[in-house]
Amino acid sequence: MTLLSSDQFPSCHVFKSCLPFLFVALLFQFQTGFSALITSLKNHPGHPQHRRPMFQTNQSTCALFVGTWVRDDSYPLYQYSNCPIIDAEFNCQLYGRPDSDYLKYRWQPLNCVLPRFDGLVFLSKMRGKNVMFVGDSLGRNQWESLICMISASTPKMQTQIIRGDPFSTFRFLEYGLSISFYRAPYLVDIDVVQGTRILKLEGIDENGNAWRMADVLVFNTGHWWTHKGSLQGWDLIASGGKYYKDMDRLVAMEKGLRTWSNWVDTYVDRTRTRVFFQSISPTHYDPSEWGTGATATVTKNCYGETAPMTGTTYPGTYPDQMRVVDEVIREMHVPTYLLDITMLSELRKDGHPSIYSGDLSPTQRANPDRTADCSHWCLPGLPDTWNQLFYTVLFY
């Protein structure tokens, strides 16, 4: 890394008991799949501990994040035409995506059945509360999804939305519930000094002041730590009283996450606020990770993918960032629940906007090899499952 001196910078529901024979059958199924999964993880090169958060369970002992995608024609939970909050970049059906099978899949954990999301239950249990998503555009993806899911249960309820940067909020007025999004792609602060953007790895007070009154906090970060060139969100990094043009990105992310974890441990009142961290959302830009032979050579990214992968594991690489996330969360004092959506999302190569994004021009859509968005997710789509899991952990 390059160092600068200071003067150089400018049915059977989830958690109810079932009949004994059903329990035995499920247990056998889970043990068989779980053993195979453990074997696969042990043999995964270079990442011996990255996947352990997958086996985190809530009080039900259900391994929520280990399972498969199954077809369910009762999905999606809402229609894009009935949810005007969806941003153009996520609104795949509105912008011409021709297939719809990707909307018809439900996440099935190996040893339980998730409760179906009920917006009225969410509203009644969260009456008078403030739920806040904090992070990057993947957090906004999930924020919009949750609003759509709740709104589908209460289509005539009076609501209010205030859009801003970095803070936006959506209110269900009858229930006094606010669901907010605070944009902070690195979680830590960025200061602008004489036109120079400085990423402060030990600074978080400016952002953190906006989070203190939330009853539920859902954090995410990841993608922006890897961006370079025109996509890079900073000009200099500040750490330890010094300024850097660049440094190892995993090292920088860990420093930033430890600043965030210290803020949570210092300022979050565990008696009134619940804290969640959304694990790394995967991308699908390398078809060699999921395809072989002709399939891998025909496409250069997620464009044209219309179905999820089968099975419980993804053959491609697992994000190095998850090791950092795992280590930091393990050392926190305030209970922070890891919503480990990484593996189940890796299986959904079909869920991205690809060229069906309102952010792309017709010329850009004509060149999917260069412009396909294989990072964000369509709405309706995968983030609805993230919120179904969030709902399950929150209430069951």
Side-chain angles (χ1 to χ4, degrees):
M1 60 190 174
T2 306
L3 177 64
L4 297 180
S5 62
S6 58
D7 59 354
Q8 285 181 290
F9 73 91
S11 11
C12 170
H13 288 290
V14 174
F15 310 116
K16 297 180 181 178
S17 47
C18 302
L19 295 175
F21 74 88
L22 180 57
F23 174 78
V24 171
L26 286 173
L27 181 61
F28 175 77
Q29 179 190 26
F30 173 67
Q31 288 176 331
T32 302
F34 195 77
S35 298
L37 185 57
I38 288 291
T39 301
S40 172
L41 298 185
K42 286 181 177 178
N43 292 334
H44 195 85
H47 304 284
Q49 297 180 359
H50 290 203
R51 301 174 187 256
R52 205 166 75 79
M54 289 175 58
F55 310 120
Q56 180 174 345
T57 60
N58 66 357
Q59 61 270 28
S60 71
T61 72
C62 173
L64 295 174
F65 309 108
V66 184
T68 59
W69 290 96
V70 297
R71 175 131 184 148
D72 187 332
D73 287 333
S74 70
Y75 279 64
L77 299 176
Y78 59 90
Q79 299 298 321
Y80 78 90
S81 55
N82 296 329
C83 191
I85 195 175
I86 302 174
D87 283 333
E89 62 187 308
F90 311 141
N91 207 334
C92 305
Q93 293 289 308
L94 179 64
Y95 287 95
R97 181 161 178 171
D99 61 304
S100 59
D101 280 357
Y102 72 96
L103 298 170
K104 301 293 185 179
Y105 286 91
R106 170 175 55 83
W107 177 246
Q108 176 60 65
L110 288 180
N111 68 331
C112 63
V113 179
L114 292 178
R116 192 174 180 90
F117 184 92
D118 188 324
L120 288 175
V121 169
F122 195 101
L123 286 167
S124 63
K125 288 183 177 291
M126 298 302 292
R127 182 185 293 271
K129 303 293 186 182
N130 182 4
V131 178
M132 185 179 292
F133 293 87
V134 179
D136 57 24
S137 54
L138 279 309
R140 177 163 51 88
N141 221 169
Q142 186 177 6
W143 172 65
E144 294 180 10
S145 161
L146 182 60
I147 292 168
C148 292
M149 293 169 75
I150 298 173
S151 298
S153 300
T154 57
K156 296 182 179 180
M157 181 174 293
Q158 188 175 6
T159 61
Q160 179 188 58
I161 183 169
I162 300 172
R163 287 269 199 174
D165 187 12
F167 182 76
S168 299
T169 189
F170 190 98
R171 296 190 177 101
F172 294 90
L173 299 179
E174 181 180 334
Y175 286 82
L177 169 64
S178 295
I179 301 179
S180 306
F181 172 69
Y182 186 93
R183 183 182 180 275
Y186 302 99
L187 300 182
V188 293
D189 294 338
I190 294 182
D191 279 352
V192 179
V193 179
Q194 297 178 351
T196 299
R197 300 166 300 172
I198 303 173
L199 178 62
K200 300 171 64 177
L201 297 185
E202 285 91 30
I204 200 169
D205 289 343
E206 183 177 343
N207 286 339
N209 286 335
W211 312 336
R212 293 196 186 192
M213 299 308 295
D215 299 288
V216 178
L217 285 163
V218 185
F219 293 96
N220 90 288
T221 189
H223 288 200
W224 279 72
W225 294 96
T226 65
H227 289 343
K228 296 186 177 181
S230 62
L231 296 178
Q232 184 172 293
W234 47 267
D235 302 304
L236 294 176
I237 297 175
S239 180
K242 297 180 175 64
Y243 296 88
Y244 303 87
K245 288 184 177 179
D246 205 347
M247 66 168 59
D248 182 285
R249 299 307 181 88
L250 277 180
V251 171
M253 180 179 173
E254 181 172 0
K255 286 176 178 286
L257 277 179
R258 293 199 181 279
T259 298
W260 161 79
S261 68
N262 288 336
W263 182 91
V264 171
D265 285 341
T266 302
Y267 293 108
V268 167
D269 180 355
R270 67 176 72 190
T271 65
R272 67 173 291 269
T273 302
R274 295 184 65 177
V275 181
F276 296 81
F277 192 96
Q278 182 89 298
S279 69
I280 306 301
S281 175
T283 61
H284 290 92
Y285 287 103
D286 183 2
S288 67
E289 291 188 348
W290 66 83
T292 57
T295 303
T297 58
V298 169
T299 181
K300 293 186 177 180
N301 50 45
C302 66
Y303 173 68
E305 296 292 341
T306 59
M309 295 188 63
T310 59
T312 58
T313 59
Y314 183 71
T317 57
Y318 199 67
D320 286 332
Q321 293 174 329
M322 277 310 301
R323 174 184 54 79
V324 175
V325 170
D326 187 21
E327 289 177 357
V328 170
I329 289 179
R330 286 175 189 277
E331 297 174 11
M332 294 175 67
H333 301 298
V334 170
T336 300
Y337 193 99
L338 181 65
L339 289 165
D340 190 10
I341 53 80
T342 303
M343 177 62 76
L344 64 90
S345 302
E346 283 187 315
L347 299 174
R348 294 307 306 269
K349 56 185 173 61
D350 58 320
H352 298 286
S354 179
I355 62 170
Y356 306 106
S357 164
D359 280 1
L360 298 181
S361 68
T363 301
Q364 289 173 317
R365 289 179 196 150
N367 189 8
D369 288 354
R370 294 180 58 86
T371 63
D373 179 356
C374 302
S375 175
H376 299 103
W377 305 93
C378 295
L379 293 180
L382 176 65
D384 304 332
T385 295
W386 299 351
N387 282 319
Q388 187 179 10
L389 290 161
F390 172 54
Y391 170 87
T392 300
V393 176
L394 200 55
F395 300 137
Y396 289 86

